[in-house]
């Protein structure tokens, strides 16, 4: 393959622009070619403008009849009147803010150059008066001179629209992509797919597909391009998993388990409840994995509150009974702490040493933990990803449990596995992956499902309400001795900004509920502060906990019966479901009150789904459809498995073709050593070997 061409090679991209491209993870011309459009606008010339319905885009090509500049108080307005070949007329308007202090500057300068009387132009815009069905006045979004050859990139076609960052416009971006398509990079774009498969599935060649995904000449061409690129993505990933599966099979454990029950029996007796049938079934499945010669790789699915933690604890106790160490990795410090306290409580009186390790563990405590891990004094370690730091060395770690696995990246999971060559791995999630997908991709992954909740749980009433009604609900419940959560969304993905926002809301809420005891929790607090706040809330020293989504997973306070979610439309489905799962944990009727602010259509759909559905698995499937699989499979952070062209739901047929072809490919050429597979193999290496140590293709 050719050496990658840096993006700055393209005309018009200097260091400043390159920085913007970096934000989109585009470093090379090849990256740019593989940065596919988010969507397409239909800018083919169609109906006369007065037949467009109110919201659709108006695309018009015509000659300039006359123009006007209209000075107004705070804006400048430029107008052009156009007529097309058939005599349709249209009035176009551009608005610009007045820029004070630059009196000689005409913001419409370049526009006026293209729009002189008689010149032929394209305009793309929206109708000015949406209700006036026959109106032919539009506000222009983009315009082009018809005699410019590059105009055909933007107008009169299915036009690509990219997901961009501030400082880059689609107009510019299309030109860069066009230039990239002209470079040798495209000519040198190697065909990585084996020729036999290309023929069998009648796929476009790589250069054809890339050209067509950006600038399709027809919908049919676009469909073929997407199919080719989706197939390629699916085949690469499926093959990677396929190879990994064969490699894992060869390994056998050099340690074994025996069910001794010297810890398990007293543990069960102390528990205070009976396992549900579902829990019993999955514990058996896990134990039989542990006792087999192959390392376990099992996914434990179970709805929020179904009792996955005790199941994990049973598995960990089996490891400890056999003289091994076990680790549990949780996505947040609060959850790790919570698990630690749960474990301490449930293991009271048993000779099992447990510790918790997070990034806020003090140096001295950390040192002690590391020492005891290394000499084997410590049996169970709970923690965040601090557990997989390089200096954390275990004496004999044999079982690793990953809670809420969808929150971790593939890299983190493999890193845990690297801690020791052979390891039994249990991952847990309330956001399940459809079984077919899991099997197809992971291949070796077994799935256990807890399909019932512990007895005596009340169904949570989910409602949408105005803030006032939501606060009435809080007031009523707290007056009856219950407790409530009020959660605000993360703002711009930043805990820092969110902390500030939630602090302001907290001050307001104190005035709304002067008679109650309020406390606040957010990610910027120190570990000690967080612990104190949580402990006080659990002990009913406070009534209302105002928080960011840091409390999303794991918090378990039975007396809390109201969960108010502010700006509910900002949360994803899985988050809403997790948050709702924080209430309804005790004997009292509980409520989840969603307070939407502005609801877009997807947002509204999410809120509707969450109100209508209690089944976490159904929610999980819908969530995947709304968000795409990358995020849910836990790969968004590491960006390795994100599908750019493919969609496992819409392109299900292609997915299954790819899986079938993968199986044939690997059965004919397991090591991919035939010359016709060389480029495919190289691409696999490039994609997966760098970051993903589990695949050994060398
Ligand atoms: P999740 O599956 O969401 O992680 P947890 O493991 O946190 O659920 O369990 C939720 C609550 O249910 C905990 O308080 C736990 O002690 C309790 N629980 C678990 N199993 C049972 C059971 N069989 N009977 C009664 N309560 C149970
Ligand atoms: Mg849990």
């Amino acid at each position: 393959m050719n050496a990658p061409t840096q993006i700055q090679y393209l005309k018009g991209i200097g260091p400043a622009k390159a920085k913007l491209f970096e934000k989109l993870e585009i470093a090379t011309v090849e990256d740019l070619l593989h940065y596919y459009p988010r969507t397409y606008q239909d800018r083919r010339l169609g109906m006369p403008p007065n037949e467009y319905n109110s919201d659709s885009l108006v695309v018009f090509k015509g000659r300039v009849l006359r123009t006007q500049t209209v000075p107004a108080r705070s804006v400048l307005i430029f107008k052009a009147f156009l007529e097309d070949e058939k005599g349709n007329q249209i009035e176009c308007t551009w608005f610009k803010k007045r820029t004070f202090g630059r009196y000689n500057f005409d913001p419409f300068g370049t526009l006026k150059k293209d729009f002189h009387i008689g010149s032929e132009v394209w305009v793309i815009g929206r109708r000015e008066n949406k209700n006036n069905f026959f109106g032919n006045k539009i506000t222009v979004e983009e315009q082009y001179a018809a005699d410019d050859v590059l105009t055909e990139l933007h107008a009169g076609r299915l036009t690509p629209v990219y997901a961009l960052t501030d400082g880059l416009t689609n107009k510019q971006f299309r030109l860069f992509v066009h230039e990239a398509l002209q470079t040798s990079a495209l000519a040198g774009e190697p065909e990585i797919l084996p020729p036999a498969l290309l023929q069998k599935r009648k796929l476009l060649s790589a250069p054809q597909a890339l050209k067509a995904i950006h600038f399709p000449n027809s919908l049919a061409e676009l469909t073929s391009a997407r199919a080719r690129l989706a197939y390629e993505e699916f085949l690469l990933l499926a093959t990677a998993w396929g190879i990994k599966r064969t490699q894992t099979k060869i390994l056998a454990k050099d340690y074994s388990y025996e069910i001794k029950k010297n810890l398990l029996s007293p543990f069960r007796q102390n528990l205070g409840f009976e396992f549900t049938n579902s829990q019993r079934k999955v514990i058996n499945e896990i134990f039989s994995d542990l006792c087999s010669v192959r390392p376990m790789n099992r996914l434990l699915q179970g709805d929020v509150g179904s009792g996955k933690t005790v199941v994990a604890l049973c598995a960990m106790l089996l490891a400890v009974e056999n003289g091994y160490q076990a680790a549990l990795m949780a996505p947040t410090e609060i959850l790790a702490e919570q698990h630690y306290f749960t474990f301490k409580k449930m293991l009271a009186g048993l000779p099992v040493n447990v510790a918790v390790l997070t990034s806020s563990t003090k140096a001295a405590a950390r040192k002690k933990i590391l020492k005891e891990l290394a000499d084997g004094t410590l049996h169970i370690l709970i923690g965040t990803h601090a557990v997989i730091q390089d200096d954390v060395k275990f004496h004999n770690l044999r079982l690793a449990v990953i809670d809420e696995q969808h929150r971790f990246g593939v890299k983190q999971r493999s890193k845990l596995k690297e801690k020791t060559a052979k390891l039994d791995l249990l991952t847990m999630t309330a956001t399940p992956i459809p079984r077919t997908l899991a099997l197809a991709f992971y291949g070796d992954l077994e799935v256990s499902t807890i399909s019932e909740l512990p007895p005596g749980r009340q169904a949570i009433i989910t409602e949408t309400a105005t803030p006032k009604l939501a606060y009435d609900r809080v007031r009523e419940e707290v007056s009856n001795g219950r407790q409530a959560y009020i959660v605000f969304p993360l703002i711009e993905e930043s805990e820092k900004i969110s902390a500030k926002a939630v602090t302001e809301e907290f001050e307001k809420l104190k005035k709304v509920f002067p008679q109650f005891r309020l406390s606040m929790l957010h990610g910027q607090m120190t570990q000690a502060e967080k612990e104190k706040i949580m402990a006080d809330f659990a002990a009913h020293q406070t009534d209302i906990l105002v928080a960011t989504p840091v409390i999303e997973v794991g918090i378990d306070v039975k007396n809390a019966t109201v969960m108010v979610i502010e700006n509910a439309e900002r949360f994803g489905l899985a988050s809403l479901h997790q948050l709702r799962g924080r209430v309804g944990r005790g004997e009292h009727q509980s409520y989840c009150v969603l307070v939407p602010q502005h609801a877009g259509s997807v947002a509204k759909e999410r809120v509707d789904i969450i109100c209508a559905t209690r089944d976490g698995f159904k929610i999980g499937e819908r969530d995947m459809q709304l968000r795409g699989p990358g995020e849910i499979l836990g790969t968004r952070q590491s960006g390795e498995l994100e599908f750019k062209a493919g969609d496992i739901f819409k392109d299900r047929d292609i997915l299954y073709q790819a899986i079938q072809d993968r199986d044939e490919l690997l059965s004919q050429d397991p090591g991919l050593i035939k010359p016709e597979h060389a480029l495919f193999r190289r691409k696999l290496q490039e994609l997966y070997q760098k970051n993903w140590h589990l695949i050994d293709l060398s």
Side-chain angles (χ1 to χ4, degrees):
M1 285 177 207
N2 303 342
T5 318
Q6 294 307 307
I7 191 79
Q8 295 204 26
Y9 166 89
L10 295 180
K11 244 188 290 165
I13 301 188
K17 275 260 150 51
K19 272 253 149 53
L20 295 174
F21 277 89
E22 213 171 277
K23 278 196 190 165
L24 304 173
E25 294 178 18
I26 299 173
T28 64
V29 174
E30 289 74 12
D31 293 341
L32 180 61
L33 289 174
H34 289 277
Y35 196 84
Y36 308 140
R38 174 173 62 81
T39 181
Y40 302 81
Q41 267 183 357
D42 191 348
R43 295 187 180 176
R44 293 172 295 187
L45 268 189
M47 322 146 250
N50 55 0
E51 285 175 26
Y52 282 97
N53 61 30
S54 60
D55 253 350
S56 68
L57 206 66
V58 176
V59 179
F60 192 87
K61 185 187 183 191
R63 287 193 183 280
V64 180
L65 298 176
R66 61 192 173 94
T67 62
Q68 287 178 351
T69 309
V70 189
R73 193 183 264 274
S74 59
V75 286
L76 286 169
I77 296 173
F78 178 72
K79 280 182 187 294
F81 298 82
L82 311 183
E83 185 177 62
D84 74 4
E85 284 169 345
K86 294 182 196 142
N88 297 305
Q89 293 199 355
I90 194 168
E91 180 184 330
C92 307
T93 308
W94 288 258
F95 297 94
K96 281 267 158 73
K97 268 226 170 70
R98 236 181 221 286
T99 38
F100 291 97
R102 300 180 70 189
Y103 292 109
N104 293 325
F105 177 73
D106 181 356
F108 295 122
T110 40
L111 199 59
K112 284 177 179 167
K113 249 192 273 151
D114 285 340
F115 282 66
H116 49 78
I117 291 166
S119 60
E120 200 173 25
V121 293
W122 284 87
V123 288
I124 290 125
R126 309 267 167 193
R127 301 160 69 91
E128 240 169 62
N129 183 350
K130 287 189 179 168
N131 300 321
N132 177 0
F133 195 74
F134 296 102
N136 55 359
K137 294 183 176 182
I138 67 163
T139 305
V140 177
E141 291 176 0
E142 289 180 31
Q143 69 284 329
Y144 302 92
D147 61 2
D148 185 342
V149 286
L150 291 177
T151 292
E152 67 182 44
L153 298 174
H154 312 283
R157 64 168 317 118
L158 288 171
T159 309
V161 178
Y162 300 88
L164 298 177
T165 178
D166 273 356
L168 284 172
T169 65
N170 265 292
K171 210 163 161 174
Q172 298 171 317
F173 203 82
R174 274 177 225 130
L175 291 170
F176 291 133
V177 172
H178 171 69
E179 225 206 304
L181 284 166
Q182 309 296 309
T183 61
S184 57
L186 180 66
E189 175 81 14
E191 182 54 73
I192 62 151
L193 290 180
L197 292 178
L198 213 54
Q199 224 173 20
K200 174 179 172 194
R201 300 296 181 191
K202 300 196 174 52
L203 299 168
L204 293 184
S205 74
Q208 280 172 331
L210 279 182
K211 225 170 153 179
I213 197 82
H214 291 289
F215 296 108
N217 287 317
S218 64
L219 272 177
E221 200 188 53
L222 175 58
T223 309
S224 310
R226 280 201 54 228
R228 142 83 210 211
L229 297 168
Y231 176 86
E232 180 180 320
E233 285 176 348
F234 292 150
L235 186 71
L236 280 165
L237 181 63
T239 308
W241 283 117
I243 291 173
K244 179 182 165 246
R245 176 174 54 185
T246 49
Q247 287 170 351
T248 326
K249 264 189 184 148
I250 302 163
L251 293 173
K253 290 193 276 205
D254 49 9
Y255 56 96
S256 60
Y257 294 85
E258 194 188 316
I259 300 176
K260 300 183 172 159
K261 299 203 173 175
N262 57 337
L263 293 174
L264 282 164
S265 290
F267 169 70
R268 272 185 81 162
Q269 275 152 22
N270 290 349
L271 206 50
F273 55 73
E274 291 287 319
F275 291 132
T276 61
N277 287 333
S278 263
Q279 283 172 318
R280 236 175 252 138
K281 181 188 70 149
V282 302
I283 289 170
N284 279 333
E285 288 166 353
I286 292 167
F287 279 22
S288 84
D289 274 5
L290 291 174
C291 294
S292 95
V293 291
R294 276 189 57 193
M296 171 168 76
N297 187 8
R298 189 170 281 276
L299 175 69
L300 174 58
Q301 307 184 339
D303 207 346
V304 176
S306 61
K308 295 184 288 293
T309 316
V310 272
V311 171
L313 186 47
C314 285
M316 294 170 95
L317 282 180
L318 182 64
V320 178
E321 275 186 359
N322 284 276
Y324 309 137
Q325 288 173 310
L328 173 89
M329 192 159 84
T332 66
E333 290 193 3
I334 292 197
L335 185 55
E337 290 287 339
Q338 173 108 11
H339 278 319
Y340 174 69
F341 289 117
T342 308
F343 278 31
K344 286 292 264 192
K345 215 166 71 192
M346 290 185 166
L347 296 173
L350 293 178
V352 181
N353 297 326
V354 189
V356 59
L357 182 68
T358 69
S359 43
S360 21
T361 305
K362 296 258 160 36
R366 181 183 159 85
K367 207 169 147 200
K368 179 162 179 283
I369 291 172
L370 293 190
K371 181 183 159 294
E372 294 183 354
L373 266 188
D375 68 21
T377 324
L378 208 53
H379 304 115
I380 293 180
L381 181 67
I382 300 170
T384 53
H385 48 263
V387 168
I388 53 172
Q389 239 84 97
D390 287 331
D391 58 342
V392 180
K393 301 259 188 307
F394 290 83
H395 175 62
N396 60 354
L397 177 67
R398 292 288 179 241
L399 170 65
V401 181
I402 302 183
D403 196 13
E404 307 297 340
Q405 67 90 28
H406 63 281
R407 301 281 201 101
F408 288 101
V410 171
K411 262 187 234 169
Q412 289 162 318
R413 276 182 269 169
S414 344
K415 191 145 184 208
L416 185 60
K417 195 130 192 179
E418 266 173 54
K419 287 259 141 207
T420 158
K422 288 160 199 156
L423 186 67
D424 290 299
L425 189 62
L426 179 67
T427 47
M428 308 200 288
T429 182
T431 310
I433 305 163
R435 191 179 160 76
T436 44
L437 177 69
L439 289 178
F441 280 157
Y442 297 97
D444 61 335
L445 183 87
E446 309 292 334
V447 180
S448 286
T449 304
I450 305 183
S451 52
E452 62 189 322
L453 294 181
R457 293 278 167 80
Q458 303 236 10
I460 299 161
I461 296 175
T462 307
E463 51 197 15
T464 48
T466 59
K468 186 183 169 306
L469 289 174
Y471 298 155
D472 285 349
R473 174 70 74 198
V474 171
R475 209 169 280 120
E476 186 184 331
E477 287 294 305
V478 176
S479 302
N480 286 331
R482 305 284 84 75
Q483 289 164 278
Y485 300 99
I486 302 179
V487 177
F488 289 87
L490 272 188
I491 297 162
E492 294 181 2
E493 303 291 306
S494 149
E495 262 289 342
K496 204 165 189 169
I497 302 174
S498 308
K500 183 166 169 288
V502 82
T503 309
E504 281 166 17
E505 297 294 341
F506 180 60
E507 293 307 320
K508 286 187 211 154
L509 286 169
K510 279 207 274 200
K511 295 189 188 102
V512 177
F513 301 109
Q515 70 276 44
F516 301 137
R517 299 163 298 174
L518 278 71
S519 60
M520 173 174 62
L521 190 70
H522 59 69
Q524 294 295 108
M525 297 174 149
T526 68
Q527 190 57 23
E529 282 169 333
K530 284 190 245 178
E531 269 169 42
K532 169 123 183 31
I533 299 283
M534 274 318 300
D536 283 351
F537 190 69
H540 203 168
Q541 297 297 309
T542 50
D543 302 306
I544 301 174
L545 185 60
V546 181
T548 59
V550 291
I551 64 155
E552 184 183 307
V553 283
I555 302 300
D556 191 15
V557 176
K558 293 192 167 49
N559 192 46
T561 56
V562 189
M563 167 62 68
V564 176
I565 306 177
E566 303 261 3
N567 299 354
E569 74 280 356
R570 294 254 208 129
F571 291 86
L573 269 181
S575 291
L576 290 174
H577 185 59
Q578 284 279 1
L579 284 169
R580 175 167 61 183
R582 297 311 108 216
V583 295
R585 303 197 143 234
E587 56 193 301
H588 306 287
Q589 177 60 57
S590 294
Y591 303 86
C592 175
V593 191
L594 307 176
V595 184
Q597 202 176 32
H598 359 256
S601 60
V602 173
K604 191 173 170 314
E605 196 178 342
R606 280 200 300 260
V607 171
D608 289 347
I609 293 168
I610 208 80
C611 284
T613 321
R614 259 189 271 143
D615 182 340
F617 283 21
K618 287 218 184 79
I619 290 171
E621 288 225 355
R622 292 294 291 128
D623 197 31
M624 180 119 68
Q625 284 166 331
L626 290 174
R627 285 197 301 166
E631 231 171 281
I632 293 173
L633 288 171
T635 55
R636 179 117 316 168
Q637 307 95 312
S638 47
E640 288 159 37
L641 316 187
E642 216 176 310
F643 299 116
K644 289 177 170 173
D647 175 319
I648 55 159
F649 285 93
K650 290 195 205 114
D651 305 319
R652 202 168 268 226
D653 293 345
I654 303 176
L655 173 66
Y656 288 117
Q657 286 179 355
I659 289 164
Q660 190 193 341
D661 293 350
R662 179 264 320 257
D663 291 343
E664 277 169 30
L665 184 67
L666 289 181
S667 74
Q668 290 161 9
D669 185 11
L672 298 178
I673 47 171
K674 292 189 180 164
E676 64 267 33
H677 300 150
L679 285 175
F680 186 69
R681 182 171 185 273
R682 226 151 122 188
K683 183 77 186 178
L684 265 180
Q685 272 175 326
E686 208 181 278
L687 277 180
Y688 297 115
Q689 205 177 13
K690 220 178 339 163
N691 300 320
W692 194 2
H693 317 272
L694 289 183
I695 287 201
D696 180 11
L697 278 169
S698 47

